Amino acid sequence: MPDPNWPLCEFAITDSVELKEAYREIFERQYVNSVVRDWRDRRVRFHRLTFDHAFSEATNYRTGVGVHDIPLSLPRAKRILWIRLTLIADSVSIDVLAQLRKDGRGRMRKRRTLIVLDNRYVVVLEPVERGEFAFDFVTAFPADQAYLDKIRRGSNVVERMPPRK
């Protein structure tokens, strides 16, 4: 599939604390403090506190227990603008998967996982039961084919979005 050539967000900052704050500022300006809708005009809520989970990662997700020990994942952070592009399905094909996953407290939660087929990018949302929002943003990250195969095994494709221009 063709790569959509979405822009990466990069800074010429060498200090890790300053770099993380620069990405946090973009997250808050682009997502937390603005109205974000998906391609079906459903509102997606972004919480300020989600940043730390969404833009950190585990050294080895295959053998780890979900603990993120890398406080700022540059592969995730550089793709921060891709979240909105995924939600509006900007010139890409997307599979939407329905999943049930345990949260940090062991409760089963519904998940909606959007996989951008063109560049193996994943955006995870959680349906909201009430209020003006349809979904809460959980995380977003580039994935390898092995990870995509793994999440597809425990999921159902509920929607396929063809490219929109």
Side-chain angles (χ1 to χ4, degrees):
M1 296 192 183
D3 186 331
N5 292 317
W6 286 348
L8 293 176
C9 181
E10 298 179 279
F11 295 99
I13 300 173
T14 56
D15 180 70
S16 61
V17 173
E18 287 179 25
L19 184 60
K20 186 173 182 178
E21 287 311 306
Y23 282 115
R24 184 185 308 276
E25 184 179 315
I26 287 181
F27 181 73
E28 290 186 13
R29 186 176 59 239
Q30 290 288 318
Y31 301 108
V32 175
N33 298 328
S34 67
V35 175
V36 180
R37 296 184 182 277
D38 72 0
W39 65 80
R40 297 218 186 278
D41 201 35
R42 298 171 294 197
R43 260 186 99 184
V44 179
R45 179 174 36 205
F46 289 80
H47 295 281
R48 183 171 279 107
L49 298 176
T50 305
F51 177 85
D52 288 325
H53 172 74
F55 297 100
S56 61
E57 70 177 308
T59 305
N60 189 341
Y61 74 86
R62 286 184 173 93
T63 60
V65 291
V67 176
H68 288 194
D69 57 339
I70 301 172
L72 180 65
S73 167
L74 284 179
R76 289 178 181 220
K78 287 179 180 181
R79 290 163 177 81
I80 195 167
L81 301 175
W82 292 18
I83 298 166
R84 188 180 298 268
L85 296 171
T86 299
L87 292 174
I88 63 171
D90 182 28
S91 304
V92 293
S93 299
I94 297 176
D95 276 357
V96 180
L97 307 180
Q99 296 177 291
L100 282 175
R101 298 277 307 263
K102 285 187 180 180
D103 67 9
R105 296 180 181 165
R107 298 175 295 194
M108 294 305 286
R109 296 281 189 189
K110 291 180 184 177
R111 287 275 175 100
R112 198 145 179 101
T113 303
L114 287 63
I115 300 173
V116 180
L117 303 174
D118 307 78
N119 55 17
R120 293 191 314 229
Y121 187 66
V122 176
V123 174
V124 180
L125 306 173
E126 189 172 283
V128 177
E129 300 297 323
R130 55 183 147 52
E132 63 186 276
F133 295 94
F135 303 103
D136 281 337
F137 170 78
V138 176
T139 192
F141 52 91
D144 59 23
Q145 193 59 50
Y147 185 81
L148 294 179
D149 293 342
K150 176 185 169 186
I151 63 172
R152 284 180 183 281
R153 281 193 294 272
S155 309
N156 297 316
V157 176
V158 293
E159 186 174 2
R160 284 210 159 96
M161 184 65 194
R164 290 172 38 152
K165 300 209 186 239

